Amino acid sequence: MEDKFFSKKYCDRCGNVLDARTMSWFNDDTICMNCSDKESAIKKKLQDGGKSYEGCGYIPDVNKQEAIK
Ligand SMILES: [Zn+2]
């Protein structure tokens, strides 16, 4: 299996050059720290800190979440 994580040059989400990289919490994307920060913000807004969303395959719509509360 090819390790795409380290061979990737660009963020899967925003397309910026990957200086630092991390895995998305929500799906298999390799993302930059900017996008990681955005995910952190989303996780904070989710009811259980986003724990139940790990690897869910999509980015939860936080605005919708807030509307439910
Ligand atoms: Zn990015």
Side-chain angles (χ1 to χ4, degrees):
M1 225 168 73
E2 182 189 354
D3 193 347
K4 288 181 184 168
F5 182 72
F6 287 108
S7 61
K8 269 182 189 164
K9 285 182 180 167
Y10 304 101
C11 174
D12 284 331
R13 195 148 305 156
C14 69
N16 279 347
V17 174
L18 289 168
D19 299 322
R21 66 194 63 207
T22 187
M23 285 296 288
S24 165
W25 179 264
F26 300 111
N27 60 20
D28 291 335
D29 285 352
T30 303
I31 58 173
C32 68
M33 298 319 284
N34 255 345
C35 292
S36 180
D37 286 347
K38 285 180 195 167
E39 285 201 344
S40 296
I42 292 170
K43 279 168 71 181
K44 275 181 199 157
K45 289 183 182 176
L46 294 170
Q47 284 185 340
D48 59 354
K51 284 196 182 80
S52 64
Y53 287 85
E54 185 174 8
C56 66
Y58 64 93
I59 312 303
D61 186 339
V62 178
N63 294 324
K64 209 186 272 176
Q65 286 279 332
E66 284 180 338
I68 291 167
K69 272 180 202 171

